[in-house]
Structures are given as structure tokens and as C-alpha cells.
Amino acid sequence: MIEAREITKFYGQGESRFQVLKNISLTIEDGSFTVILGTSGSGKSTLLNTISALERPDGGNIFYDGEDITALSDSELTRLRRDRIGFIFQQYYLLPNMNVMQNVKMGADLVKPAGNKDYREIIEAVGLGEKLKKYPGELSGGEQQRVSVARALAKKPKILFLDEPTGALDEETGRQVLDYICALQNEYDFTVVMVTHNQNIAEMADTVIKMNSGKISEIYTNDTRKNAYEIGW
Amino acid sequence: MLIGIRDMAKLFAISVVCCCAVFVCALFMNYNIDIGAVKDEITTPMGMVIYDAVVATGKVVVGVSGGCLAATTVVLLIFYVKNYIDSHGKELGILKALGYSDMRVAGHFWVFGISVFIGTGVGYAGAMGYMPNFYEAQNGEGLFPDIDPEFHLGLAFCMIVLPTVFFMLLSVFYAFFKLKSPVLGLLKESRNVKIKKGKFDDKDLPFLSDLKRNTLKSRKSLVFFVGFSAFCFSAMTQMSMSMNELASDTFSWMIISIGLILAFMTLLMSLTSVVKGNGKTIAMMKVFGYSRRECSGSVLDGYRPVTYIGFIIGTAYQYFLLKIMVDIVFADYEDMPDYSFDFKALAISLVTFIAAYEIILYIFGRKLDRQSVKSIMLE
Ligand SMILES: Nc1ncnc2c1ncn2[C@@H]1O[C@H](COP(=O)(O)OP(=O)(O)OP(=O)(O)O)[C@@H](O)[C@H]1O
Ligand SMILES: [Mg+2]
């Protein structure tokens, strides 16, 4: 379980210092599917980066299963990310000098004890089986996004953080990728925390957190979850 | 303006190299000109012998340090322009897409020459200021008539204006040449990556060993520059220690200090580029939870063998350059100074190099560690 208490985060200094996260508290249950909704600039990515131990908050605490991770050292945080967390970024951040297969292996090799041998299947599943040897510069935006999805999934994370994973994808591919993520979630029972501005995707979630200029404006739970092919787009 | 003050500040190293080169060359050349003018007043045979030796030594020092430093500046400048274009590909690509001609964009690169102007200007002024002391030291035994340093306009022109113009043109033309690539090539983020398919491609190697290989393969210019900086380090430190014996005592420390400053500057520059160039990769690895040792092991360690190769070549280069210069200049001089390989200098240089390299990388590693992952990726 992830619990955030009164998180604050500022950007800038002096005159231009401004508060991106304003006393945010939330709870994310193990194995749940949480969606964070909000307009552009409302602080969704910042919130995601903070609760996922990528950035330190300026105030407040974040607990992973009761352990306060804001008190951990950098190397302890690295360990935590290695053992538990998978990321999919809005801007993909693939390694430009590594091909599709090598990028995915970056995640796969971290699975204990001997790496995830099924990474090729994951690449197939996101529809890139034909492009194993391509470099990111030779791929379209959507294809790069799918590599970054495969890279995170190959790591077999306990918690998967996704920032607009379908932003660059067309409807058909977007649904496929979401469906695949859900299928893997059912199989391995990891936690999903996804940022999106697509209202429809919220219908796939257990819990929806709505953000507005740095604050949570609403939290609600869905009684029934739709799958990736039932939602509108 | 396209190229900002901050980009210019990064050219500091070029200014320092130019400054040192001009300082040394201007001192010796000015002296050689001034002493040449009063040659007839030297009457004692002993004086004549010393005179020839002093003039010849001046030529060796000017030839070796001037030539070596000019070459260094060319490499540094080209590396900077290339780096600038690579890292500002987007802006330049947009300018091109908007319809600016290559020449118009490349024209802006003349400002890189300013760093040369500043460096040479400061170097020349410094040399003029130091000249009285230098003249006195050169005539330590009082064998020559007392002379005062004269200002030679032609020399100032050759030392300041010519290099500045040369390097301005070099920047503009190199930029022009680089900008010829198509707009999309410039715009696309990962355009720099050209990796030849190799024999390892079909092997299913672990990520870290693939990464180590591809890091080197994908940025050959950086590999070259790192090797070059090791080459400079080795050549400059050893050369300055060897030249010690050719120059007068007062001057020897100055040459050694200049050699050391330059050696550290180039090494620092190349390692900064290494860390900068690989910062994003390291940030991403940190996100995934790779430890510090794994990051530096696969990303930064690959450059180490390259530096040793550069160091060895630099050692050989400075030895032969000095030997040839001494042979030529002192060819018809009976008491030819004995020049043999200086093992002590090699040992000192090697130890300093290894220490400097490891310390700089360690400090950079710590810096990367403390920086937040997001800030590195945004750059
Ligand atoms: N490194 C930074 N320095 C200064 N301000 C920042 C920084 N990163 C983000 N911001 C600001 O913080 C606010 C929230 O940014 P954030 O990226 O979290 O928004 P977002 O909700 O993810 O938006 P989008 O949907 O467009 O991705 C924005 O107003 C942005 O300008
Ligand atoms: Mg965002």
C-alpha cells in the first residue's frame, strides 16, 4: 500500500517560486488500478514523480507498506525502484543508442535471479516483433511509447507508474496497449497508477483521483471496471 | 542572437589555451627580435655562442608550444562547434525549416572566434607585462647589451588578429559544413545515433555489456576527444618537464605550470563532455534502479582504455617532436644539448594523469548522484 500524507512541492526560487503540489494526501491499495485525471499543468506528472520516489517532496511523507520513503538515502531509493517500481514516461526517454530489444532488456535484466527471459514475448505483445533491431530514432512516436511500455513491463514491477501511456497512440493501438497492461495486471497482480487526461480511461480504474491546480478536487471509486474495449475513446 | 553568453562561457578553455600559447610565443619571439637588433654589439666569442643558443632555444620553444597549442585549439574549437550543433539541433533545424539559409545560420558562429580573441589578447598583454623580467633573466650572465622590450606591431598582429580571424572562419565554415544535413536530421532528437551492425548484434548479451559497447560506438567524436585530451595531457606535461632543461631556471616553473594548467583544462573538458553526453542514460538507469557502480561501470568506464591509448601516443609524440626540433635547430651547433627520453617525467605525468582522471570522474559521479533524476532528463 502506498500512502501519501500532506505532500507539498515547489518549483522555482524567490519571486518565481510557486507551489505545484498543495498538501496532497492519498492512499493507493495494492493491486488496484488508480487513475489520476486533471487538466494540463495541474501537477499530475509532478505528483506521479513524487509518489514514485523519483523526486523528493518539499514537505510531507510517503509510506510504502508503512515505511517512510522520504527518509531513505539515495541508494536506498535506487534499491526500492529496482525491486518494485516500473515507469512509463510521457516523453518515453528511451536510450537512443540502444535498439528496441536492448532497451527492453534494460528492464528485463533487473528481474531476479537471472533476468526476465520472456522479454521477446512482451515486445511481440505490444506489436513490435518486427522491429527488434530498430533504434528509437527510426521509430514513430507511438512505437517508441510501446517500447517504453514493454521496457517497464519486462521489469515485472510490483507497482507500475504510467504518465500518459496512450498519449501518442491511435485508438486501436491505445486500446491494445491498455488491454495488455490489464491482462498482465490480472496475471501478476501489480498495482497500476496512471496519469491521463482522457476521461474515458478513468472508467477502467478502481479509483479515480481528480486534480486541479495542485490540489485533489475529487476522489471516487468505480463499482464496476470496464475493459479497454468497452470504454469510449 | 542565436549563440548566448552561456555558450560562450563554455569556450573558456579555448581562451586559456590561446592565452598560454600566445604568452609563451610572444615572450620568446619578441626577445628574439629585440636581441637580433643588437647582435652586432655582442663582441665576446662567449657571448656569440650563448647568443646562438638562446635564439635557437627560443625557436624550439615557440615551435613546439605554439604548434602544439594551435593544433589543440583547432581540435577544441571544432569539437565545440560540433557539440553545439548536435545539442542545439532542434533550434537550428527550426531555423532551417523556416527558410533561413545555411550560410546565414552558420554566419552566427563567428562569435566562437571571440574566445580566441580574448585569449590571445590577454596572453599578449601578459607577455608584454612580464617581458622586463624575462629580458633580465635571459641575460643573466650579463653577456649581452642591456635591452628594453620593444612593442612590435607586426608581431601583435600575427599573434592576435591572425588567429582570431582564422578561428572565426574555421567556426563558420565548419558550422556551414555541418548544417548541410537535412532539416529532419537536425530536428530528430536521436539523430546522432549511427551504429553499424556488428558481429555482436545477434548474440543475446546482457544489457550492461551491450550498453558499454554501444556507448562507445554511437559517439565516436566523443571517444576521439577523450583520447585526444589524454594525448594532450601526456604530451603537455612531459614536454614542459623536458623543456625545463632547455630554458632558463626562472622560466622552467612557468612552463611547467602552463603545461599543467592546459593538461588539466583539456582533461576536465573532455570528461565534462563524457558525463554530460551520458547524463540522460545514467538518469534513466537510475530510474530503473541500476546502482551507481553499474552506471559508471557500463557507461563511463568504457572510455578508460581510450585514455591510456591517447596517453601512450602523446608520450611518443612529445618525445619525437622535441627530438626533431632540437636536431633541426641545433644542427650546426657544436655543443648540441643532449636530449634523451625522460622517464622521470613520464612517471610523474602518468601518476598525475591517473589521479586527475579518477578524481574528476568521482566528483562528477557524486554530482550526478545528487541531482534529481528529472532535472538531468530535462536538460
Ligand atoms: N522543473 C520544473 N521547474 C519549474 N516548473 C515546473 C517544472 N516542472 C513542472 N513545472 C510546472 O509545474 C506545473 C505542473 O507540471 P506537471 O508536469 O506536473 O503538469 P501535468 O499535470 O503533468 O501537465 P500535462 O498534462 O501537460 O503533462 C506546471 O505549471 C509546470 O509549468
Ligand atoms: Mg504531465
Side-chain angles (χ1 to χ4, degrees):
Chain A
M1 191 173 79
I2 305 173
E3 199 188 345
R5 268 190 222 148
E6 299 283 311
I7 316 178
T8 53
K9 177 89 191 166
F10 294 86
Y11 278 128
Q13 252 137 39
E15 285 283 292
S16 61
R17 185 174 158 93
F18 106 114
Q19 190 165 10
V20 191
L21 299 181
K22 300 166 184 166
N23 299 66
I24 290 201
S25 301
L26 53 82
T27 311
I28 293 163
E29 299 292 343
D30 284 345
S32 70
F33 192 125
T34 303
V35 160
I36 303 176
L37 273 179
T39 50
S40 181
S42 55
K44 305 181 297 289
S45 298
T46 310
L47 177 63
L48 196 75
N49 291 343
T50 314
I51 54 179
S52 61
L54 268 190
E55 280 189 281
R56 288 177 186 276
D58 293 320
N61 304 83
I62 297 159
F63 300 91
Y64 274 52
D65 299 330
E67 185 186 14
D68 186 355
I69 64 158
T70 48
L72 296 183
S73 71
D74 282 345
S75 58
E76 286 166 329
L77 282 181
T78 304
R79 264 234 91 76
L80 174 96
R81 290 200 292 266
R82 181 184 191 123
D83 294 341
R84 301 202 212 171
I85 295 177
F87 288 96
I88 295 164
F89 290 96
Q90 203 167 1
Q91 299 89 342
Y92 330 134
Y93 294 131
L94 300 178
L95 303 187
N97 56 357
M98 302 291 269
N99 63 30
V100 170
M101 199 172 81
Q102 292 165 332
N103 262 292
V104 175
K105 249 192 294 182
M106 176 177 186
D109 278 5
L110 287 173
V111 175
K112 280 176 201 158
N116 183 354
K117 295 289 171 223
D118 301 332
Y119 65 89
R120 274 169 199 267
E121 282 166 35
I122 300 175
I123 301 175
E124 296 278 343
V126 297
L128 292 173
E130 308 285 295
K131 313 229 161 172
L132 286 179
K133 297 284 165 63
K134 296 273 188 211
Y135 288 89
E138 305 166 320
L139 298 176
S140 75
E143 286 166 341
Q144 292 183 49
Q145 182 66 288
R146 282 180 278 156
V147 178
S148 105
V149 170
R151 181 176 67 174
L153 291 174
K155 194 169 174 282
K156 292 194 180 170
K158 301 206 170 44
I159 313 158
L160 183 61
F161 292 98
L162 308 97
D163 197 345
E164 300 275 9
T166 56
L169 304 182
D170 59 54
E171 178 175 345
E172 174 63 22
T173 335
R175 286 182 197 274
Q176 264 171 28
V177 166
L178 288 179
D179 190 52
Y180 184 56
I181 292 169
C182 287
L184 282 185
Q185 189 190 15
N186 286 335
E187 190 179 341
Y188 294 106
D189 205 29
F190 51 79
T191 311
V192 174
V193 184
M194 184 187 300
V195 162
T196 177
H197 60 253
N198 185 338
Q199 298 269 355
N200 295 312
I201 294 180
E203 293 175 25
M204 294 175 64
D206 307 303
T207 311
V208 179
I209 299 174
K210 281 196 170 175
M211 284 193 72
N212 195 353
S213 52
K215 277 190 277 213
I216 292 180
S217 57
E218 189 186 353
I219 298 185
Y220 63 87
T221 50
N222 291 324
D223 298 332
T224 52
R225 284 176 57 181
K226 292 189 179 172
N227 74 33
Y229 293 100
E230 290 164 352
I231 59 172
W233 197 263
Chain B
M1 192 161 66
L2 189 67
I3 298 155
I5 302 286
R6 285 188 57 159
D7 298 309
M8 293 299 302
K10 289 186 198 143
L11 295 173
F12 179 65
I14 291 184
S15 299
V16 173
V17 174
C18 292
C19 174
C20 293
V22 168
F23 181 79
V24 173
C25 294
L27 274 185
F28 279 93
M29 286 178 73
N30 218 55
Y31 185 75
N32 275 10
I33 295 174
D34 285 346
I35 194 80
V38 295
K39 186 179 175 195
D40 297 340
E41 294 170 34
I42 302 169
T43 43
T44 57
M46 186 63 181
M48 281 312 288
V49 172
I50 301 285
Y51 169 83
D52 285 341
V54 162
V55 169
T57 308
K59 282 184 194 158
V60 174
V61 172
V62 169
V64 170
S65 51
C68 177
L69 295 179
T72 310
T73 316
V74 170
V75 173
L76 288 184
L77 203 68
I78 287 186
F79 183 77
Y80 261 123
V81 176
K82 181 181 153 49
N83 227 10
Y84 184 87
I85 293 177
D86 283 350
S87 56
H88 292 72
K90 276 212 171 116
E91 286 122 284
L92 298 171
I94 289 168
L95 284 179
K96 271 190 80 167
L98 287 175
Y100 286 85
S101 72
D102 288 352
M103 205 53 224
R104 199 140 157 227
V105 177
H108 284 284
F109 282 82
W110 71 269
V111 292
F112 282 106
I114 292 179
S115 59
V116 175
F117 181 73
I118 295 174
T120 51
V122 170
Y124 197 82
M128 287 309 286
Y130 184 72
M131 241 169 243
N133 305 334
F134 179 69
Y135 275 42
E136 221 165 88
Q138 287 287 76
N139 191 13
E141 283 130 67
L143 291 166
F144 310 145
D146 274 329
I147 46 170
D148 287 326
E150 303 269 339
F151 176 75
H152 301 283
L153 190 65
L155 186 63
F157 182 81
C158 291
M159 293 264 139
I160 302 175
V161 181
L162 280 190
T164 304
V165 171
F166 173 75
F167 282 111
M168 277 180 182
L169 290 178
L170 184 70
S171 311
V172 169
F173 281 109
Y174 183 72
F176 181 70
F177 165 75
K178 285 290 293 182
L179 281 169
K180 274 191 145 1
S181 52
V183 177
L184 270 179
L186 286 167
L187 279 176
K188 213 161 185 178
E189 184 105 41
S190 24
R191 89 213 87 85
N192 302 331
V193 182
K194 288 181 215 109
I195 295 182
K196 275 215 214 94
K197 310 272 180 238
K199 58 179 178 215
F200 293 100
D201 280 9
D202 295 320
K203 295 220 178 96
D204 199 1
L205 292 173
F207 168 73
L208 288 176
S209 58
D210 273 344
L211 179 64
K212 188 167 185 167
R213 211 180 45 254
N214 283 10
T215 304
L216 293 186
K217 270 167 97 182
S218 61
R219 304 200 56 187
K220 297 224 177 62
S221 68
L222 192 51
V223 173
F224 169 78
F225 188 56
V226 170
F228 178 77
S229 78
F231 167 88
C232 285
F233 192 102
S234 138
M236 284 172 182
T237 48
Q238 292 185 61
M239 208 173 330
S240 58
M241 281 186 270
S242 313
M243 272 204 285
N244 221 352
E245 283 150 31
L246 297 177
S248 61
D249 260 0
T250 11
F251 204 62
S252 60
W253 273 112
M254 188 176 294
I255 289 193
I256 289 189
S257 325
I258 289 178
L260 276 179
I261 292 173
L262 292 180
F264 278 108
M265 289 298 286
T266 37
L267 190 63
L268 190 66
M269 267 179 60
S270 79
L271 292 184
T272 312
S273 313
V274 165
V275 172
K276 271 244 152 82
N278 294 300
K280 276 190 186 163
T281 302
I282 294 178
M284 226 25 240
M285 290 175 74
K286 272 171 71 182
V287 168
F288 271 70
Y290 283 94
S291 68
R292 178 134 89 94
R293 187 178 297 151
E294 284 166 328
C295 294
S296 65
S298 50
V299 181
L300 301 180
D301 284 359
Y303 295 94
R304 194 168 283 121
V306 181
T307 63
Y308 290 132
I309 295 172
F311 191 92
I312 293 169
I313 300 177
T315 305
Y317 170 83
Q318 62 88 27
Y319 172 70
F320 287 112
L321 184 67
L322 263 181
K323 186 143 188 70
I324 290 169
M325 282 304 286
V326 168
D327 283 352
I328 292 175
V329 175
F330 290 95
D332 32 50
Y333 181 61
E334 286 160 28
D335 233 3
M336 193 155 124
D338 200 27
Y339 182 68
S340 56
F341 192 82
D342 191 345
F343 283 99
K344 203 173 115 212
L346 171 65
I348 296 175
S349 170
L350 186 62
V351 171
T352 328
F353 177 74
I354 294 176
Y357 184 89
E358 300 302 333
I359 290 173
I360 294 174
L361 265 196
Y362 179 78
I363 293 173
F364 277 138
R366 294 302 301 250
K367 235 168 105 183
L368 276 182
D369 256 5
R370 282 196 304 270
Q371 223 167 353
S372 97
V373 175
K374 196 182 165 199
S375 67
I376 305 177
M377 290 190 299
L378 277 179
E379 264 172 24

